[in-house]
Amino acid sequence: MSTALTATQPRTSTGSGRSIAGWIGLLPALLVALVAGMSAIDPQFYGIINILNILRNASFLAIVACGQALVIIAGGFDLSVGAVVALASVVTAKTMAAAAVAFPGNNALIIASGVAAGLGCGLLVGLVNGFCVAKLKVSGFVVTLGTMSATAGVGLMITSGIPVYGMPEAFVKGFGRAQVLGLPTAVYLALAVILVTMFAQRRTLFGRYVYAIGGNVDAAVVSGVSIQRHIVGTYVLSSVLAALAGILLTAQVGSGQASFGGDRMMLQSIAAAVIGGVSLRGGVGRVEIVAISALFLTILGNALNLLHIDSRLQPVFLGVIMVAAVALDELSRRRKSRV
Amino acid sequence: MDVDIDLKQTGPLLALRGISKRFTGVRALDRVDLDVRAGELHVLFGENGAGKSTLINVVSGTFPPDEGTFHFGGEEIRHLTPQRARAIGISPVFQEFSLVPSLTVEENLFLGREVSSSGVLRAREMRKRARALIDELGFDLDPSQRVDDLSRAHQQMTEIAKALLGRVRLLILDEPTASLTERETGRLFELIARLKSQNVGLIYVSHRMREIRALADRVTVLRDGRHIRTLNAATSTDGELVELMTGRKIDLLFPTIAHKPDKVMVDVENLTLTDGSVRDVNFYAQAGEITGIAGLVGCGKSELIRAIYGLEPMASGVVRIDGLRYEFPTPRRSLKHGIAYFPANRIAEGLALSRPIRENASMTGLDLPAFARFGVLRQAAERITIAGIMEQLQLRPPNIERAAGALSGGNRQKVMLGRALTRELTVFLFDEPSVGIDVGAKLEVYEFMKRLVEAGAAVIVVSSELPEVLALSNRLYVMHHGRIAAELKGAEKTEQNVLASFFRDHLAAEVA
Amino acid sequence: MSDLELSVAAKDTGQTRRLPAEWLWSAMLPIALVVLLLGFAAVDSRVLSPANLLNIAQQTSYLALFAMAQTVVILTRGFDLALGPTVSMVSVGTALAMAGATASGHDTTTVLLAGLGAGFGLGIACGLFNGVVIALLGVNPFVATLGSYNIAIGVATTLSAGRPVQGVPGTFSQIFYGGNIFGVPAAIAITVAIGIVLQLMLARTVFGRSLYIIGTNPRAAAVAGLPVKRILVLTYVLCSALAALGAIMMTARTGSGEPNLGGSLSLQAIAGAVVGGTSLAGGRGGVGTAVLGALFVTILSNGMNLTRIDGYVQMVVLGAIVIIGVLLDRLRLERRQ
Amino acid sequence: ETPWFPMKVYDASSGTPKPAEYTPLPKAEKPYKLCVLFPHMKDSFWVAVAYGIVKQAETMNVNMTLYEAGGYENLPKQLSQFDDCMASGADAIIVGAISGAGLSKKFEEAKAKGVPVVGVANPLPPNALPAAIYVDFVAMGGVTGEGLLAQAKPDAKLNIVTFPGPAGSGWAESFNEGFKKAVAKNPNAKVLAEKFGDSGVAVQLQLIQDALQAYPGMNVIWGTAPTAEAAIGAVAEAGRSDMKIMSSYENQAMLDALNRGDVLAFATQYPVGEGAVSVDQAVRLIEKKPVMSLAQPLASAVDKTTVPKLQMGLVLAPGSWKPVYSVKAK
Ligand SMILES: Nc1ncnc2c1ncn2[C@@H]1O[C@H](COP(=O)(O)OP(=O)(O)OP(=O)(O)O)[C@@H](O)[C@H]1O
Ligand SMILES: Nc1ncnc2c1ncn2[C@@H]1O[C@H](COP(=O)(O)OP(=O)(O)OP(=O)(O)O)[C@@H](O)[C@H]1O
Ligand SMILES: [Mg+2]
Ligand SMILES: [Mg+2]
């Protein structure tokens, strides 16, 4: 072997910086440890119902976090997802209730119109976000802070905060609470979203350009990537996915609620993305790890409940574990850092 | 203006007439004309901030010009965009890389020109084409590596490969050798010759006279955004070019430095770094002399001095400063020990661009009573001190309240150098001190070093530009594979010997 | 994108000569504020009554204090999501300490000192946690402060058992809420004093200078030998200490320790800072931007309240105005070159 | 529409509650300006209080402006709104307090300025205000506890998990305390755990799902109205038809669920009536007429047997009614 060439060989050969562990991080290992530990402590944990609940709740979070991750990878921030979840929920429910009056019995039409209206809300908010960020060049944080307030306001204006009923039973029983092959429908949808996003990230122009824009806008510009279109795309996807989560929640609960989402969903989705290795500086992040991180967060909450930890103290545990997990991950990656 | 008349039947490949470009407050280009013929290498020559990069950006469609006409291949082009430019065969290699650090080499090569069918990437085909291109160019690049894992030289290669993907009629190279060493530079020159023979036009920007000599067919000199003259390279002298560029006469490129080696200031014993980039290095530097370190890209020369300053973690070994052992270095402690470091990458590691020059220059001295008492800044004293230093270094424009980002490359370097004058220092570590700065500014930097050694400081210069280290240093170390391959003094200090110690090792390795 | 923003900011220093039109642009936000105020006054003249102006000043003083706290960390490219819960925790801690001290029969001075000690102690502990996790462990500010957000909420509700903590002595409220200095209510006086001190600190001290340099280019700051980690830890401690001061003032205002006092303050404070022109990319902003932003948000909601705009409509308007405010600020920066 | 008045209340002005009937004045002497502060308007409880206030303001011909703070986490906002009310020159202020203790300084200021303040729906420290109408939340929690015991067979084991609402809200803790005190009377009833959490359906649903796993023996879910709403689906899904679900307060969903038999009972404090009474109290204070300084509605647990007798007009706003934020006197 010619060692001569290594004189000019790229530097990483020396460090283990991007080895397998470095690439996916510590999170999957932590997840496995958590699951194993919980299973050993409490058999309830691996009861089928508990697993289904975990999967379903993780699905909602994962769907929202997928969109959030795309926005962050492109160098943005979407604070409005929680408000969109709520707006989509009430709009879907209202539309279905109205359609149910107009076309009694025609369930397919009623459900289709409700879902379309809900997703339409997401689309609209996403377009507004994308337009303000891409065209008016206002920072994503501020734009979505504004649309968060406005969207939540509209949701409450429509409903006065009162739950909206009147959706067809078929939507709730046949979709929201239904199970296919033993798994809730939400899980399938979340899997589909994750797989499609994975595919998009690895194999499509859109995914490639999202990385490029977040990684170095100037480089993307001079390489002829149309920036605005793709930035708008990420915000639209994020809002539409948030709307989808809102519709799923609505179907599960059986009523449209302006209390869905809120700050909690927003913070959790960003936390899931960031803990899942998405860099807030943009350009880095894989959606499958984000999904694992959503699962991790959901199981953590479930575990604290199963362990009978005083609910007032739960946030303390949650906070400490979250920080510790990310700190460990950070330290394990730090080998190749300079300065 | 004396643009010499094109004698060929066919018109020039690229013809710019009366191009102007104004940025807020500056007129970067003022009615510039430029012709580039097919098969010609046309050098753009000018001081930092003369408008070279701006002109290149106009040609490659990044900035629309405010006025002027643009003909390419005989056709008038309006509303040029980066995509369109690439489509018609204009390929730029930018000074500030247009690479996305988090993507791989291959992904960067195809950025904006991916092979895809209905939005889905065709990875295998791109991989094949990337391999083929890299092999053809003879670069040691792994297409699947992430760009932020690459050395700057490899990034430069990626940038060049990116420009050569697809059909190229006009290749633009903006200081392509600034971070390449001899070997890669040689490869690049071969490539340029090949392209010229294929009738590709080239625009080439460099501050290195040797390259201009070696490559140029014609040279266009720019000054303050204006076209000064276009000359035939064969019939003009260096002195003439430099004079046209600066408006004054500069005779010597390197000052004569009187070295008076005194006590050993830096003594490194068996130094090994945790990442293995430097292994078992022994070397020393004396007060009153310039110690040079040369070596191929990635040989660990930068890491060596960065480790002394405290930017790279050490695994083992001993560093002595002025005879005393110096353990666990950090930048702050190094400064207190009288050691200063001037990073190669002034944008990433040197300057806070949006802050005023004054703040950038005083940054390293804030712990001194001259600048602050009990944590409270002495702003008047600061202003006077920094203004004095900057006057001494001939900062242009001399306003120290301007943002550092508004300065040209050479003047940014002066701000960095100014830091050295804010406090008592005895050891100066320079990493690629002349990267990207023009001939005039280089001379000023060299003069600065000369003053330092003559005042009794120990100066260590790490450089990829061989003539520079050869001319400046009193003793020269050559590094290879993270180890010291040779120490050259006096008459041994020749280009021949340096190259020999690069390649001796190569040959040895190949035999083994 | 942040670099674009920085290079925009880079070009405008050192510009001295200004045309009247440019001056108008540079005073964009203050002008917008005045216009807003006059607009509301046209609908209801009471908006401009001395009583309401004092009212606005007093309301602004709390938010401005929190926005200043956020600004300090935003300058270094961070932010503090835990600010709100820190306020809750400090409020409960202060009240509990004072109630406890009163119960065990200490004199008023001791009681007050116990309260202040507990309050600032908790605040500084929270800031130390944030600073150490961010600067030394390298966790990004979002996750780190989301962690302490949860922890502070847990501590606040556990300590208080979820109920308001009674037993805050009257003197405490009299000093920090009822008191006044030359007729200026305590809250305003304290905020103005802190604002001046902070402004001097940012402009005149090594620490303040370091904040801007670290925010603009952290790597360069480290290479130039600034003690970046130590400064970052101090920054988060300062932020939380200011939050604790605000919490103490608000506890005096409510007269009880409230486990829910800080609820949504984190985002409000960030919004206040950012609307005023502080850049989340770091290195740009200061006391002025924080105060301006806080004034803007306060005047907007005060005006809408006095002109009887419905609650939910207020949310929509607020959202739109936040975006417009920042858009104007961006245009202003572009113009100013 | 059923007439609201006279409304049965306890008169607790003297400290010990005495049964009484509340009858408002027919008209105000002048079109006063009332300023109303709510914690939020995000559920049917506060919409019901608003309905009572708006209708009574129209009846008595006074001006009314209502501000909502956007949630229980926004005490600072309510404090500012209180200031805004005073600055806008209100003749009286009606407050649904986010925290009675937290507003006590404001109450003192209003008193100093001579602006009467009336408390509505949310509890206040004793004698904080010249007039107020609210139930004792601890007592109301107790009512639900007693309701539960009354419904259960005497020897049946009751394994209860409570979901009181957001920790730190005050009211959640009070409800919970009263409930626990009441059920403690029966040795067969045991509170397994208390799960605090935001009173939104999504959050409560997750808590219930986890509790179903963590406490397999649980057979009573007691909590907020959203808790009960979320519980219905979760319990059905888990196949636990034996589960008893109770809500600590009322909303439209609870009423429907009760009629369907999905919940055992819920408590009500007649929020519409509370709103209406608060307006009359404010007017009386302005006009310096005698006023019942603390009125307490008769909180009751509503179950299948009592629901036909329930005076719905005092419990919920009509479904078609949209919240109105201001009333202009004629
Ligand atoms: N984006 C920009 N905005 C504002 N001014 C700019 C911009 N780019 C360049 N300039 C200014 O235009 C002038 C020409 O700059 P340019 O980068 O073309 O110089 P150059 O000849 O390439 O210098 P160097 O040798 O240092 O690379 C300089 O004064 C520079 O400050
Ligand atoms: N990935 C990178 N990102 C930014 N700067 C880099 C990167 N890699 C190297 N540099 C900087 O660019 C300069 C040139 O470094 P390069 O990696 O080419 O090796 P070098 O310094 O020539 O190697 P050596 O000095 O070890 O022979 C160095 O100052 C280094 O800090
Ligand atoms: Mg240039
Ligand atoms: Mg180097």
Side-chain angles (χ1 to χ4, degrees), chain D:
Chain D
E1 198 172 293
T2 49
W4 299 342
F5 298 107
M7 175 178 157
K8 290 204 185 67
V9 295
Y10 287 117
D11 180 354
S13 312
S14 57
T16 40
K18 288 183 289 250
E21 293 204 326
Y22 197 101
T23 312
L25 301 168
K27 272 252 170 327
E29 287 169 10
K30 283 194 218 127
Y32 306 112
K33 292 205 317 195
L34 304 185
C35 199
V36 181
L37 299 177
F38 276 12
H40 63 82
M41 187 87 93
K42 294 196 280 200
D43 61 27
S44 50
F45 177 85
W46 285 104
V47 172
V49 181
Y51 178 67
I53 288 178
V54 167
K55 287 294 156 199
Q56 190 63 18
E58 283 168 357
T59 310
M60 299 182 82
N61 197 37
V62 291
N63 294 293
M64 188 283 300
T65 311
L66 188 153
Y67 305 132
E68 54 99 21
Y72 274 92
E73 67 279 14
N74 289 337
L75 176 58
K77 186 159 179 192
Q78 191 168 55
L79 294 170
S80 297
Q81 286 174 334
F82 198 101
D83 290 335
D84 289 349
C85 274
M86 305 244 268
S88 73
D91 295 306
I93 299 174
I94 298 175
V95 185
I98 287 179
S99 158
L103 281 163
S104 50
K105 293 285 150 201
K106 292 286 144 199
F107 297 160
E108 285 167 21
E109 284 170 43
K111 190 171 170 190
K113 291 214 175 98
V115 179
V117 181
V118 175
V120 66
N122 279 353
L124 300 169
N127 302 321
L129 289 178
I133 174 158
Y134 55 83
V135 289
D136 182 344
F137 276 25
V138 178
M140 188 163 156
V143 165
T144 54
E146 278 151 19
L148 173 68
L149 296 185
Q151 291 261 331
K153 296 191 192 81
D155 54 343
K157 285 242 178 295
L158 298 175
N159 290 319
I160 309 162
V161 176
T162 67
F163 301 83
S169 64
W171 57 261
E173 280 84 357
S174 298
F175 272 148
N176 197 38
E177 182 189 328
F179 175 79
K180 285 199 304 186
K181 239 188 248 162
V183 293
K185 288 177 203 149
N186 184 337
N188 283 329
K190 211 163 70 198
V191 175
L192 303 178
E194 301 153 46
K195 294 278 164 197
F196 287 89
D198 267 1
S199 57
V201 178
V203 174
Q204 292 295 329
L205 179 60
Q206 216 159 329
L207 286 178
I208 289 166
Q209 288 173 339
D210 287 351
L212 282 167
Q213 299 307 311
Y215 307 97
M218 165 176 82
N219 60 9
V220 178
I221 290 174
W222 176 92
T224 64
T227 312
E229 205 179 334
I232 297 166
V235 164
E237 204 167 321
R240 296 287 306 271
S241 51
D242 60 320
M243 190 72 65
K244 297 184 178 59
I245 302 171
M246 276 191 91
S247 156
S248 56
Y249 58 89
E250 64 286 71
N251 70 13
Q252 185 64 47
M254 286 303 97
L255 191 64
D256 299 344
L258 186 68
N259 287 329
R260 286 198 306 267
D262 286 341
V263 302
L264 191 65
F266 63 82
T268 183
Q269 53 178 312
Y270 305 101
V272 178
E274 286 182 323
V277 169
S278 69
V279 173
D280 179 66
Q281 285 174 311
V283 171
R284 284 174 190 262
L285 286 175
I286 298 169
E287 295 178 350
K288 306 217 176 347
K289 294 193 170 134
V291 65
M292 192 184 291
S293 67
L294 179 56
Q296 294 183 334
L298 282 59
S300 56
V302 181
D303 57 35
K304 251 205 155 126
T305 55
T306 52
V307 74
K309 287 179 279 176
L310 191 65
Q311 202 180 348
M312 279 309 302
L314 286 175
V315 175
L316 289 171
S320 57
W321 189 74
K322 289 257 128 208
V324 171
Y325 290 80
S326 58
V327 171
K328 271 219 164 339
K330 286 189 266 314

Side-chain angles (χ1 to χ4, degrees), chain B residues 159-191:
Chain B
E159 183 77 21
I160 293 170
K162 184 179 172 190
L164 291 172
L165 187 78
R167 188 188 57 138
V168 180
R169 293 172 68 195
L170 176 66
L171 180 67
I172 303 168
L173 298 158
D174 195 351
E175 302 196 31
T177 54
S179 46
L180 296 185
T181 40
E182 308 302 315
R183 211 153 67 110
E184 293 75 28
T185 306
R187 289 253 169 83
L188 180 67
F189 289 1
E190 288 165 23
L191 177 73

Side-chain angles (χ1 to χ4, degrees), chain B residues 452-480:
Chain B
L452 291 178
V453 275
E454 289 179 359
V459 173
I460 301 177
V461 175
V462 167
S463 175
S464 306
E465 204 181 339
L466 214 40
E468 177 178 279
V469 260
L470 285 170
L472 293 176
S473 59
N474 187 36
R475 283 181 310 119
L476 176 64
Y477 289 93
V478 182
M479 278 187 78
H480 193 60

Side-chain angles (χ1 to χ4, degrees), chain A residues 11, chain B residues 295-303 306 344 431-432 462-464:
Chain A
R11 170 170 300 146
Chain B
L296 288 178
V297 164
C299 67
K301 56 189 187 302
S302 296
E303 283 73 9
R306 288 168 66 83
D431 196 354
E432 309 286 356
V462 167
S463 175
S464 306

Side-chain angles (χ1 to χ4, degrees), chain B residues 160-268:
Chain B
I160 293 170
K162 184 179 172 190
L164 291 172
L165 187 78
R167 188 188 57 138
V168 180
R169 293 172 68 195
L170 176 66
L171 180 67
I172 303 168
L173 298 158
D174 195 351
E175 302 196 31
T177 54
S179 46
L180 296 185
T181 40
E182 308 302 315
R183 211 153 67 110
E184 293 75 28
T185 306
R187 289 253 169 83
L188 180 67
F189 289 1
E190 288 165 23
L191 177 73
I192 286 173
R194 196 145 28 107
L195 290 171
K196 274 167 76 169
S197 70
Q198 290 164 7
N199 231 16
V200 171
L202 290 112
I203 299 179
Y204 192 96
V205 177
S206 178
H207 293 297
R208 295 183 180 174
M209 295 310 296
R210 275 214 315 179
E211 291 176 8
I212 297 172
R213 275 284 138 248
L215 297 173
D217 295 311
R218 289 192 301 164
V219 181
T220 290
V221 180
L222 295 177
R223 195 197 311 153
D224 296 334
R226 272 190 300 273
H227 177 269
I228 300 299
R229 200 137 122 211
T230 298
L231 314 125
N232 262 323
T235 57
S236 53
T237 65
D238 284 6
E240 195 181 349
L241 286 176
V242 172
E243 196 180 335
L244 281 174
M245 158 182 141
T246 56
R248 64 198 154 105
K249 253 194 147 58
I250 294 180
D251 297 325
L252 276 175
L253 274 182
F254 297 103
T256 358
I257 300 172
H259 298 279
K260 289 198 204 74
D262 196 355
K263 61 181 171 174
V264 174
M265 286 304 297
V266 180
D267 187 12
V268 172

Side-chain angles (χ1 to χ4, degrees), chain B residues 23 26 28 47-54 63 95 175 207 406 409, chain C residues 11:
Chain B
F23 292 111
V26 239
E47 294 183 284
N48 292 124
K52 305 178 294 293
S53 297
T54 309
F63 301 154
Q95 187 174 18
E175 302 196 31
H207 293 297
Chain C
K11 302 282 156 22

Side-chain angles (χ1 to χ4, degrees), chain A residues 126-127 130-131 134-135 227-237:
Chain A
L127 283 174
F131 175 82
K135 294 266 182 209
I227 309 296
Q228 299 187 344
R229 189 152 25 111
H230 293 98
I231 288 184
V232 173
T234 59
Y235 281 98
V236 166
L237 266 178

